[in-house]
Each structure stands twice: as structure tokens, then as C-alpha cells.
Amino acid sequence: MRDSFWSNIFKHEDQMQKTIIDRLKRVHLFADLADRDIKKIAQITHIRTYEPGETVFYQGEPGAGMYIIESGMVSIVLDLADEDRLKLTDLEEGDFFGELALLDESPRSAEAIAQTPCTLIGFFRPDLLNLLERIPRLGAHLVLELSRIVSARLRNSNDEVQQLKIQLLRRDSKETS
């Protein structure tokens, strides 16, 4: 007779690993990797859980890594002067954030706060650096893909800033006319 207590533990761990692998496959950073490479990355990820209102990371603290939302919702919030806060966006299942921290340890530019119970998959800079040493091909692929993602987001931000500048210039020119 099998001891169901032990078999359930191992079944749960195996199912969790499959869930992480499935989630990683749907994240742009990992999407074009072979299954064997995704399994290697899944082995070095970290599961974190957060309650509503709990802070994932604070604005200004050194970046440590990125997070992929397995379940729940996370808000990205900017702390402004005089204790004002500006919600930049809400992120949901499958979204990821904090990827710049994989490239450098600059201070976080905003705060991440769980809005609902959340399960996040963490992928941290020391793990990426270790991967670069152990499996240079895979690590270099991830760094290149990160660069593409960061470049695309930067281009998008530049476009938004240009549109805002144009709107401000038009408004200012109408007010002075």
C-alpha cells in the first residue's frame, strides 16, 4: 500500500514545476527557448506569495530581479513629492516587471504592490549571472532578449514623451495666441 501523504507531496512539487515551465513558455523573454532550456531556468526561479497591499519592492531600493505574475494583480506605483502616489499600471497573470534589475542593480524607479493575493515567479540577477557562467549560450541568449525587450519599452516610452511634448506645445501655443 502506498503512503498517500508522500505521493501527494511529490505530485504537488511536480505539478508546480510544470506550472512554472508552462508560465515561462508564455513570457516573451523565454518564449523561443527549447524545452530543456526552459527547464533549466525553471530550476533557478523562486516562488513568492504576497497578500493584498503587500509591497513586492519599494521605489529607490536596489533592483534584485524580475517577477512574472503567476496569479493575481500587481500595481506599479510612483511615489511623488508630498506623499502623493501615481498608479502607473496594473499588471495581471502572465505579465512581468522589474526586468531592468537583471541588467543592473540601479534603484527601482517605482514601487510594486500586490492588489490581490499573488503568486509571483522571481528570476534574480545572481541566478542570471550564474547561468552566464555555467551555460554561456543560454545566459547570452537571455541577456540579448532582455536588451530587445528593454529597447522596445524605451522606444515606446520615447514615443509617449514625444506625444506629450507635442500636446503641451500645442496647448501653450493656443494659450499665447
Side-chain angles (χ1 to χ4, degrees):
M1 180 173 163
R2 286 178 38 158
D3 184 350
S4 63
F5 176 74
W6 289 106
S7 63
N8 285 339
I9 287 175
F10 297 126
K11 186 183 282 185
H12 176 73
E13 286 177 4
D14 191 43
Q15 184 57 40
M16 184 58 125
Q17 189 72 6
K18 280 184 178 180
T19 301
I20 293 170
I21 290 169
D22 290 342
R23 174 62 64 211
L24 291 177
K25 286 180 181 180
R26 290 181 270 165
V27 173
H28 183 75
L29 178 60
F30 309 111
D32 63 344
L33 293 175
D35 285 351
R36 72 179 185 283
D37 290 334
I38 294 219
K39 286 178 184 175
K40 290 173 186 169
I41 292 168
Q43 292 171 349
I44 59 173
T45 60
H46 308 271
I47 302 299
R48 301 284 191 261
T49 59
Y50 296 87
E51 295 300 318
E54 193 173 353
T55 301
V56 178
F57 56 73
Y58 292 94
Q59 182 175 329
E61 75 181 20
M66 69 176 278
Y67 295 89
I68 302 159
I69 302 175
E70 175 59 32
S71 65
M73 181 188 298
V74 174
S75 291
I76 306 300
V77 177
L78 188 60
D79 280 330
L80 304 172
D82 301 328
E83 298 187 29
D84 285 340
R85 296 166 67 87
L86 174 65
K87 184 188 290 190
L88 300 175
T89 192
D90 286 323
L91 302 173
E92 298 176 328
E93 182 178 318
D95 290 331
F96 61 94
F97 58 97
E99 67 279 357
L100 283 177
L102 291 174
L103 299 173
D104 69 16
E105 296 171 312
S106 294
R108 298 283 191 180
S109 59
E111 195 167 301
I113 303 168
Q115 295 302 306
T116 63
C118 292
T119 300
L120 306 180
I121 302 169
F123 182 55
F124 299 107
R125 180 178 168 80
D127 298 317
L128 176 60
L129 296 176
N130 186 287
L131 187 65
L132 275 163
E133 286 182 24
R134 289 184 307 109
I135 312 170
R137 172 196 55 79
L138 179 55
H141 175 84
L142 290 178
V143 170
L144 181 59
E145 198 57 41
L146 271 169
S147 299
R148 287 185 184 130
I149 290 167
V150 169
S151 293
R153 289 188 176 181
L154 181 58
R155 273 192 291 283
N156 188 32
S157 293
N158 285 342
D159 290 345
E160 289 177 8
V161 168
Q162 285 178 347
Q163 291 302 315
L164 287 172
K165 282 184 173 182
I166 290 168
Q167 289 173 7
L168 287 172
L169 287 172
R170 287 182 180 157
R171 188 191 76 195
D172 288 347
S173 68
K174 285 180 184 178
E175 290 176 0
T176 58
S177 308

